[in-house]
PDB file of all heavy atoms in Angstrom:
ATOM      1  N   HIS Z   1      -1.780  26.420 -79.601  1.00 78.00           N
ATOM      2  CA  HIS Z   1      -1.835  26.955 -78.245  1.00 78.00           C
ATOM      3  C   HIS Z   1      -0.780  28.034 -78.039  1.00 78.00           C
ATOM      4  O   HIS Z   1      -1.033  29.076 -77.416  1.00 78.00           O
ATOM      5  CB  HIS Z   1      -1.634  25.833 -77.229  1.00 78.00           C
ATOM      6  CG  HIS Z   1      -1.701  26.292 -75.803  1.00 78.00           C
ATOM      7  ND1 HIS Z   1      -0.594  26.717 -75.115  1.00 78.00           N
ATOM      8  CD2 HIS Z   1      -2.753  26.420 -74.949  1.00 78.00           C
ATOM      9  CE1 HIS Z   1      -0.952  27.081 -73.896  1.00 78.00           C
ATOM     10  NE2 HIS Z   1      -2.249  26.899 -73.764  1.00 78.00           N
ATOM     11  N   THR Z   2       0.405  27.833 -78.567  1.00 82.00           N
ATOM     12  CA  THR Z   2       1.497  28.780 -78.368  1.00 82.00           C
ATOM     13  C   THR Z   2       1.183  30.139 -78.954  1.00 82.00           C
ATOM     14  O   THR Z   2       1.325  31.175 -78.289  1.00 82.00           O
ATOM     15  CB  THR Z   2       2.796  28.234 -78.988  1.00 82.00           C
ATOM     16  OG1 THR Z   2       3.134  26.991 -78.359  1.00 82.00           O
ATOM     17  CG2 THR Z   2       3.936  29.214 -78.811  1.00 82.00           C
ATOM     18  N   LEU Z   3       0.756  30.180 -80.193  1.00 78.00           N
ATOM     19  CA  LEU Z   3       0.547  31.456 -80.868  1.00 78.00           C
ATOM     20  C   LEU Z   3      -0.722  32.161 -80.405  1.00 78.00           C
ATOM     21  O   LEU Z   3      -0.817  33.387 -80.464  1.00 78.00           O
ATOM     22  CB  LEU Z   3       0.518  31.248 -82.379  1.00 78.00           C
ATOM     23  CG  LEU Z   3       1.864  30.819 -82.966  1.00 78.00           C
ATOM     24  CD1 LEU Z   3       1.698  30.321 -84.388  1.00 78.00           C
ATOM     25  CD2 LEU Z   3       2.859  31.972 -82.921  1.00 78.00           C
ATOM     26  N   GLU Z   4      -1.678  31.405 -79.912  1.00 72.00           N
ATOM     27  CA  GLU Z   4      -2.924  32.019 -79.450  1.00 72.00           C
ATOM     28  C   GLU Z   4      -2.804  32.557 -78.037  1.00 72.00           C
ATOM     29  O   GLU Z   4      -3.343  33.615 -77.714  1.00 72.00           O
ATOM     30  CB  GLU Z   4      -4.062  30.996 -79.504  1.00 72.00           C
ATOM     31  CG  GLU Z   4      -5.405  31.574 -79.068  1.00 72.00           C
ATOM     32  CD  GLU Z   4      -6.524  30.545 -79.094  1.00 72.00           C
ATOM     33  OE1 GLU Z   4      -6.263  29.395 -79.518  1.00 72.00           O
ATOM     34  OE2 GLU Z   4      -7.639  30.886 -78.697  1.00 72.00           O
ATOM     35  N   HIS Z   5      -2.072  31.837 -77.173  1.00 64.00           N
ATOM     36  CA  HIS Z   5      -2.061  32.191 -75.755  1.00 64.00           C
ATOM     37  C   HIS Z   5      -0.694  32.668 -75.269  1.00 64.00           C
ATOM     38  O   HIS Z   5      -0.594  33.723 -74.650  1.00 64.00           O
ATOM     39  CB  HIS Z   5      -2.492  30.979 -74.915  1.00 64.00           C
ATOM     40  CG  HIS Z   5      -3.881  30.518 -75.193  1.00 64.00           C
ATOM     41  ND1 HIS Z   5      -4.987  31.204 -74.761  1.00 64.00           N
ATOM     42  CD2 HIS Z   5      -4.345  29.432 -75.856  1.00 64.00           C
ATOM     43  CE1 HIS Z   5      -6.084  30.575 -75.151  1.00 64.00           C
ATOM     44  NE2 HIS Z   5      -5.721  29.491 -75.813  1.00 64.00           N
ATOM     45  N   VAL Z   6       0.337  31.896 -75.524  1.00 55.00           N
ATOM     46  CA  VAL Z   6       1.620  32.126 -74.867  1.00 55.00           C
ATOM     47  C   VAL Z   6       2.389  33.277 -75.481  1.00 55.00           C
ATOM     48  O   VAL Z   6       3.004  34.080 -74.781  1.00 55.00           O
ATOM     49  CB  VAL Z   6       2.476  30.840 -74.906  1.00 55.00           C
ATOM     50  CG1 VAL Z   6       3.817  31.069 -74.227  1.00 55.00           C
ATOM     51  CG2 VAL Z   6       1.730  29.698 -74.244  1.00 55.00           C
ATOM     52  N   ALA Z   7       2.353  33.379 -76.790  1.00 56.00           N
ATOM     53  CA  ALA Z   7       3.200  34.348 -77.480  1.00 56.00           C
ATOM     54  C   ALA Z   7       2.381  35.380 -78.241  1.00 56.00           C
ATOM     55  O   ALA Z   7       2.647  35.690 -79.395  1.00 56.00           O
ATOM     56  CB  ALA Z   7       4.158  33.628 -78.423  1.00 56.00           C
ATOM     57  N   SER Z   8       1.383  35.935 -77.581  1.00 66.00           N
ATOM     58  CA  SER Z   8       0.606  37.006 -78.195  1.00 66.00           C
ATOM     59  C   SER Z   8       1.489  38.237 -78.382  1.00 66.00           C
ATOM     60  O   SER Z   8       2.397  38.494 -77.589  1.00 66.00           O
ATOM     61  CB  SER Z   8      -0.594  37.348 -77.313  1.00 66.00           C
ATOM     62  OG  SER Z   8      -1.238  38.502 -77.777  1.00 66.00           O
ATOM     63  N   PHE Z   9       1.203  39.008 -79.410  1.00 74.00           N
ATOM     64  CA  PHE Z   9       2.007  40.193 -79.712  1.00 74.00           C
ATOM     65  C   PHE Z   9       1.232  41.486 -79.489  1.00 74.00           C
ATOM     66  O   PHE Z   9       1.727  42.568 -79.796  1.00 74.00           O
ATOM     67  CB  PHE Z   9       2.487  40.138 -81.175  1.00 74.00           C
ATOM     68  CG  PHE Z   9       3.401  38.980 -81.463  1.00 74.00           C
ATOM     69  CD1 PHE Z   9       2.897  37.730 -81.783  1.00 74.00           C
ATOM     70  CD2 PHE Z   9       4.774  39.127 -81.396  1.00 74.00           C
ATOM     71  CE1 PHE Z   9       3.737  36.655 -82.044  1.00 74.00           C
ATOM     72  CE2 PHE Z   9       5.618  38.064 -81.655  1.00 74.00           C
ATOM     73  CZ  PHE Z   9       5.103  36.819 -81.982  1.00 74.00           C
ATOM     74  N   GLU Z  10       0.013  41.385 -78.966  1.00 76.00           N
ATOM     75  CA  GLU Z  10      -0.800  42.573 -78.745  1.00 76.00           C
ATOM     76  C   GLU Z  10      -0.321  43.313 -77.481  1.00 76.00           C
ATOM     77  O   GLU Z  10       0.086  42.682 -76.514  1.00 76.00           O
ATOM     78  CB  GLU Z  10      -2.271  42.190 -78.592  1.00 76.00           C
ATOM     79  CG  GLU Z  10      -2.867  41.556 -79.847  1.00 76.00           C
ATOM     80  CD  GLU Z  10      -2.816  42.489 -81.043  1.00 76.00           C
ATOM     81  OE1 GLU Z  10      -3.079  43.695 -80.864  1.00 76.00           O
ATOM     82  OE2 GLU Z  10      -2.506  42.019 -82.152  1.00 76.00           O
ATOM     83  N   PRO Z  11      -0.391  44.638 -77.479  1.00 82.00           N
ATOM     84  CA  PRO Z  11       0.118  45.422 -76.339  1.00 82.00           C
ATOM     85  C   PRO Z  11      -0.828  45.422 -75.140  1.00 82.00           C
ATOM     86  O   PRO Z  11      -1.359  46.458 -74.729  1.00 82.00           O
ATOM     87  CB  PRO Z  11       0.271  46.820 -76.936  1.00 82.00           C
ATOM     88  CG  PRO Z  11      -0.774  46.885 -78.005  1.00 82.00           C
ATOM     89  CD  PRO Z  11      -0.826  45.495 -78.598  1.00 82.00           C
ATOM     90  N   ARG Z  12      -1.033  44.271 -74.561  1.00 86.00           N
ATOM     91  CA  ARG Z  12      -1.911  44.160 -73.393  1.00 86.00           C
ATOM     92  C   ARG Z  12      -1.135  44.510 -72.127  1.00 86.00           C
ATOM     93  O   ARG Z  12       0.075  44.366 -72.073  1.00 86.00           O
ATOM     94  CB  ARG Z  12      -2.444  42.730 -73.287  1.00 86.00           C
ATOM     95  CG  ARG Z  12      -3.176  42.249 -74.523  1.00 86.00           C
ATOM     96  CD  ARG Z  12      -3.447  40.756 -74.440  1.00 86.00           C
ATOM     97  NE  ARG Z  12      -4.059  40.236 -75.656  1.00 86.00           N
ATOM     98  CZ  ARG Z  12      -4.253  38.949 -75.902  1.00 86.00           C
ATOM     99  NH1 ARG Z  12      -3.879  38.048 -75.008  1.00 86.00           N
ATOM    100  NH2 ARG Z  12      -4.815  38.564 -77.029  1.00 86.00           N
ATOM    101  N   PRO Z  13      -1.841  44.941 -71.073  1.00 91.00           N
ATOM    102  CA  PRO Z  13      -1.151  45.276 -69.821  1.00 91.00           C
ATOM    103  C   PRO Z  13      -0.653  44.037 -69.090  1.00 91.00           C
ATOM    104  O   PRO Z  13      -1.095  42.914 -69.338  1.00 91.00           O
ATOM    105  CB  PRO Z  13      -2.231  46.004 -69.011  1.00 91.00           C
ATOM    106  CG  PRO Z  13      -3.520  45.462 -69.540  1.00 91.00           C
ATOM    107  CD  PRO Z  13      -3.289  45.208 -71.006  1.00 91.00           C
ATOM    108  N   SER Z  14       0.251  44.243 -68.164  1.00 94.00           N
ATOM    109  CA  SER Z  14       0.762  43.170 -67.320  1.00 94.00           C
ATOM    110  C   SER Z  14       1.021  43.741 -65.929  1.00 94.00           C
ATOM    111  O   SER Z  14       1.276  44.937 -65.771  1.00 94.00           O
ATOM    112  CB  SER Z  14       2.030  42.556 -67.913  1.00 94.00           C
ATOM    113  OG  SER Z  14       2.971  43.555 -68.288  1.00 94.00           O
ATOM    114  N   TRP Z  15       0.969  42.855 -64.929  1.00 97.00           N
ATOM    115  CA  TRP Z  15       1.075  43.279 -63.539  1.00 97.00           C
ATOM    116  C   TRP Z  15       2.067  42.397 -62.793  1.00 97.00           C
ATOM    117  O   TRP Z  15       2.459  41.346 -63.261  1.00 97.00           O
ATOM    118  CB  TRP Z  15      -0.286  43.164 -62.840  1.00 97.00           C
ATOM    119  CG  TRP Z  15      -1.377  43.998 -63.431  1.00 97.00           C
ATOM    120  CD1 TRP Z  15      -1.794  45.234 -63.033  1.00 97.00           C
ATOM    121  CD2 TRP Z  15      -2.237  43.639 -64.533  1.00 97.00           C
ATOM    122  NE1 TRP Z  15      -2.841  45.673 -63.818  1.00 97.00           N
ATOM    123  CE2 TRP Z  15      -3.139  44.712 -64.742  1.00 97.00           C
ATOM    124  CE3 TRP Z  15      -2.330  42.514 -65.362  1.00 97.00           C
ATOM    125  CZ2 TRP Z  15      -4.113  44.688 -65.737  1.00 97.00           C
ATOM    126  CZ3 TRP Z  15      -3.280  42.489 -66.365  1.00 97.00           C
ATOM    127  CH2 TRP Z  15      -4.173  43.567 -66.543  1.00 97.00           C
ATOM    128  N   ARG Z  16       2.447  42.878 -61.600  1.00 97.00           N
ATOM    129  CA  ARG Z  16       3.189  42.083 -60.618  1.00 97.00           C
ATOM    130  C   ARG Z  16       2.528  42.289 -59.254  1.00 97.00           C
ATOM    131  O   ARG Z  16       1.819  43.274 -59.049  1.00 97.00           O
ATOM    132  CB  ARG Z  16       4.662  42.518 -60.549  1.00 97.00           C
ATOM    133  CG  ARG Z  16       5.405  42.356 -61.856  1.00 97.00           C
ATOM    134  CD  ARG Z  16       6.883  42.660 -61.724  1.00 97.00           C
ATOM    135  NE  ARG Z  16       7.157  44.069 -61.468  1.00 97.00           N
ATOM    136  CZ  ARG Z  16       8.386  44.607 -61.489  1.00 97.00           C
ATOM    137  NH1 ARG Z  16       9.419  43.837 -61.744  1.00 97.00           N
ATOM    138  NH2 ARG Z  16       8.570  45.880 -61.247  1.00 97.00           N
ATOM    139  N   ILE Z  17       2.787  41.379 -58.340  1.00 98.00           N
ATOM    140  CA  ILE Z  17       2.275  41.548 -56.984  1.00 98.00           C
ATOM    141  C   ILE Z  17       3.174  42.533 -56.255  1.00 98.00           C
ATOM    142  O   ILE Z  17       4.402  42.366 -56.224  1.00 98.00           O
ATOM    143  CB  ILE Z  17       2.207  40.210 -56.237  1.00 98.00           C
ATOM    144  CG1 ILE Z  17       1.235  39.256 -56.940  1.00 98.00           C
ATOM    145  CG2 ILE Z  17       1.791  40.416 -54.782  1.00 98.00           C
ATOM    146  CD1 ILE Z  17       1.184  37.862 -56.334  1.00 98.00           C
ATOM    147  N   GLY Z  18       2.566  43.584 -55.709  1.00 97.00           N
ATOM    148  CA  GLY Z  18       3.344  44.610 -55.035  1.00 97.00           C
ATOM    149  C   GLY Z  18       4.200  44.062 -53.914  1.00 97.00           C
ATOM    150  O   GLY Z  18       3.722  43.294 -53.076  1.00 97.00           O
ATOM    151  N   GLY Z  19       5.472  44.453 -53.918  1.00 96.00           N
ATOM    152  CA  GLY Z  19       6.402  43.966 -52.911  1.00 96.00           C
ATOM    153  C   GLY Z  19       7.025  42.634 -53.231  1.00 96.00           C
ATOM    154  O   GLY Z  19       7.922  42.170 -52.518  1.00 96.00           O
ATOM    155  N   GLY Z  20       6.567  41.986 -54.300  1.00 97.00           N
ATOM    156  CA  GLY Z  20       7.131  40.694 -54.697  1.00 97.00           C
ATOM    157  C   GLY Z  20       6.084  39.606 -54.764  1.00 97.00           C
ATOM    158  O   GLY Z  20       5.222  39.498 -53.884  1.00 97.00           O
ATOM    159  N   ASN Z  21       6.144  38.802 -55.821  1.00 98.00           N
ATOM    160  CA  ASN Z  21       5.189  37.703 -55.981  1.00 98.00           C
ATOM    161  C   ASN Z  21       5.275  36.678 -54.849  1.00 98.00           C
ATOM    162  O   ASN Z  21       4.330  35.928 -54.612  1.00 98.00           O
ATOM    163  CB  ASN Z  21       5.421  37.000 -57.319  1.00 98.00           C
ATOM    164  CG  ASN Z  21       5.040  37.863 -58.508  1.00 98.00           C
ATOM    165  OD1 ASN Z  21       4.417  38.917 -58.353  1.00 98.00           O
ATOM    166  ND2 ASN Z  21       5.412  37.426 -59.700  1.00 98.00           N
ATOM    167  N   GLN Z  22       6.418  36.660 -54.150  1.00 98.00           N
ATOM    168  CA  GLN Z  22       6.587  35.746 -53.017  1.00 98.00           C
ATOM    169  C   GLN Z  22       5.530  35.979 -51.943  1.00 98.00           C
ATOM    170  O   GLN Z  22       5.217  35.086 -51.158  1.00 98.00           O
ATOM    171  CB  GLN Z  22       7.981  35.950 -52.413  1.00 98.00           C
ATOM    172  CG  GLN Z  22       8.356  34.977 -51.313  1.00 98.00           C
ATOM    173  CD  GLN Z  22       8.834  33.638 -51.844  1.00 98.00           C
ATOM    174  OE1 GLN Z  22       9.609  33.617 -52.787  1.00 98.00           O
ATOM    175  NE2 GLN Z  22       8.394  32.550 -51.250  1.00 98.00           N
ATOM    176  N   GLY Z  23       4.957  37.178 -51.946  1.00 98.00           N
ATOM    177  CA  GLY Z  23       3.933  37.490 -50.958  1.00 98.00           C
ATOM    178  C   GLY Z  23       2.754  36.542 -51.001  1.00 98.00           C
ATOM    179  O   GLY Z  23       2.144  36.247 -49.959  1.00 98.00           O
ATOM    180  N   LEU Z  24       2.412  36.039 -52.188  1.00 98.00           N
ATOM    181  CA  LEU Z  24       1.266  35.136 -52.286  1.00 98.00           C
ATOM    182  C   LEU Z  24       1.548  33.770 -51.672  1.00 98.00           C
ATOM    183  O   LEU Z  24       0.790  33.329 -50.792  1.00 98.00           O
ATOM    184  CB  LEU Z  24       0.799  35.007 -53.733  1.00 98.00           C
ATOM    185  CG  LEU Z  24      -0.407  34.084 -53.950  1.00 98.00           C
ATOM    186  CD1 LEU Z  24      -1.582  34.515 -53.071  1.00 98.00           C
ATOM    187  CD2 LEU Z  24      -0.814  34.047 -55.420  1.00 98.00           C
ATOM    188  N   PRO Z  25       2.593  33.047 -52.086  1.00 98.00           N
ATOM    189  CA  PRO Z  25       2.833  31.758 -51.424  1.00 98.00           C
ATOM    190  C   PRO Z  25       3.108  31.904 -49.934  1.00 98.00           C
ATOM    191  O   PRO Z  25       2.707  31.046 -49.135  1.00 98.00           O
ATOM    192  CB  PRO Z  25       4.034  31.169 -52.171  1.00 98.00           C
ATOM    193  CG  PRO Z  25       4.649  32.300 -52.901  1.00 98.00           C
ATOM    194  CD  PRO Z  25       3.533  33.250 -53.205  1.00 98.00           C
ATOM    195  N   ASP Z  26       3.768  32.987 -49.524  1.00 98.00           N
ATOM    196  CA  ASP Z  26       4.015  33.192 -48.100  1.00 98.00           C
ATOM    197  C   ASP Z  26       2.698  33.333 -47.336  1.00 98.00           C
ATOM    198  O   ASP Z  26       2.528  32.772 -46.244  1.00 98.00           O
ATOM    199  CB  ASP Z  26       4.881  34.425 -47.878  1.00 98.00           C
ATOM    200  CG  ASP Z  26       6.354  34.186 -48.197  1.00 98.00           C
ATOM    201  OD1 ASP Z  26       6.739  33.023 -48.415  1.00 98.00           O
ATOM    202  OD2 ASP Z  26       7.116  35.171 -48.226  1.00 98.00           O
ATOM    203  N   ALA Z  27       1.765  34.092 -47.906  1.00 98.00           N
ATOM    204  CA  ALA Z  27       0.478  34.290 -47.249  1.00 98.00           C
ATOM    205  C   ALA Z  27      -0.327  32.994 -47.204  1.00 98.00           C
ATOM    206  O   ALA Z  27      -0.969  32.676 -46.196  1.00 98.00           O
ATOM    207  CB  ALA Z  27      -0.313  35.383 -47.963  1.00 98.00           C
ATOM    208  N   MET Z  28      -0.296  32.234 -48.295  1.00 98.00           N
ATOM    209  CA  MET Z  28      -1.018  30.967 -48.331  1.00 98.00           C
ATOM    210  C   MET Z  28      -0.437  29.986 -47.316  1.00 98.00           C
ATOM    211  O   MET Z  28      -1.166  29.269 -46.623  1.00 98.00           O
ATOM    212  CB  MET Z  28      -0.967  30.377 -49.739  1.00 98.00           C
ATOM    213  CG  MET Z  28      -1.681  31.226 -50.786  1.00 98.00           C
ATOM    214  SD  MET Z  28      -1.431  30.631 -52.474  1.00 98.00           S
ATOM    215  CE  MET Z  28      -2.485  29.164 -52.474  1.00 98.00           C
ATOM    216  N   ALA Z  29       0.888  29.960 -47.211  1.00 98.00           N
ATOM    217  CA  ALA Z  29       1.536  29.062 -46.257  1.00 98.00           C
ATOM    218  C   ALA Z  29       1.245  29.487 -44.822  1.00 98.00           C
ATOM    219  O   ALA Z  29       1.045  28.643 -43.941  1.00 98.00           O
ATOM    220  CB  ALA Z  29       3.038  29.035 -46.509  1.00 98.00           C
ATOM    221  N   ALA Z  30       1.211  30.798 -44.576  1.00 98.00           N
ATOM    222  CA  ALA Z  30       0.910  31.283 -43.228  1.00 98.00           C
ATOM    223  C   ALA Z  30      -0.483  30.831 -42.799  1.00 98.00           C
ATOM    224  O   ALA Z  30      -0.707  30.470 -41.637  1.00 98.00           O
ATOM    225  CB  ALA Z  30       1.027  32.796 -43.181  1.00 98.00           C
ATOM    226  N   ALA Z  31      -1.426  30.841 -43.733  1.00 98.00           N
ATOM    227  CA  ALA Z  31      -2.785  30.403 -43.423  1.00 98.00           C
ATOM    228  C   ALA Z  31      -2.829  28.901 -43.122  1.00 98.00           C
ATOM    229  O   ALA Z  31      -3.668  28.441 -42.328  1.00 98.00           O
ATOM    230  CB  ALA Z  31      -3.717  30.736 -44.577  1.00 98.00           C
ATOM    231  N   LEU Z  32      -1.925  28.147 -43.723  1.00 98.00           N
ATOM    232  CA  LEU Z  32      -1.873  26.699 -43.483  1.00 98.00           C
ATOM    233  C   LEU Z  32      -1.136  26.360 -42.195  1.00 98.00           C
ATOM    234  O   LEU Z  32      -1.306  25.265 -41.642  1.00 98.00           O
ATOM    235  CB  LEU Z  32      -1.186  26.005 -44.662  1.00 98.00           C
ATOM    236  CG  LEU Z  32      -1.968  26.001 -45.977  1.00 98.00           C
ATOM    237  CD1 LEU Z  32      -1.063  25.577 -47.124  1.00 98.00           C
ATOM    238  CD2 LEU Z  32      -3.191  25.093 -45.883  1.00 98.00           C
ATOM    239  N   GLY Z  33      -0.295  27.267 -41.739  1.00 98.00           N
ATOM    240  CA  GLY Z  33       0.393  27.091 -40.465  1.00 98.00           C
ATOM    241  C   GLY Z  33       1.300  25.884 -40.413  1.00 98.00           C
ATOM    242  O   GLY Z  33       2.069  25.623 -41.343  1.00 98.00           O
TER     243      GLY Z  33
END
């Protein structure tokens, strides 16, 4: 599992959530009120 998924060495792209990943849990929590 480690070598196939976690520690791949291929130059694949990566992303972040604009403004900070905290935006997602904050938005989910706001919807839950």
Side-chain angles (χ1 to χ4, degrees):
H1 181 270
T2 300
L3 293 167
E4 181 181 356
H5 298 286
V6 180
S8 171
F9 296 85
E10 296 299 319
R12 303 170 184 172
S14 49
W15 299 264
R16 299 186 292 189
I17 298 175
N21 291 349
Q22 186 81 44
L24 180 55
D26 283 350
M28 296 172 74
L32 291 167

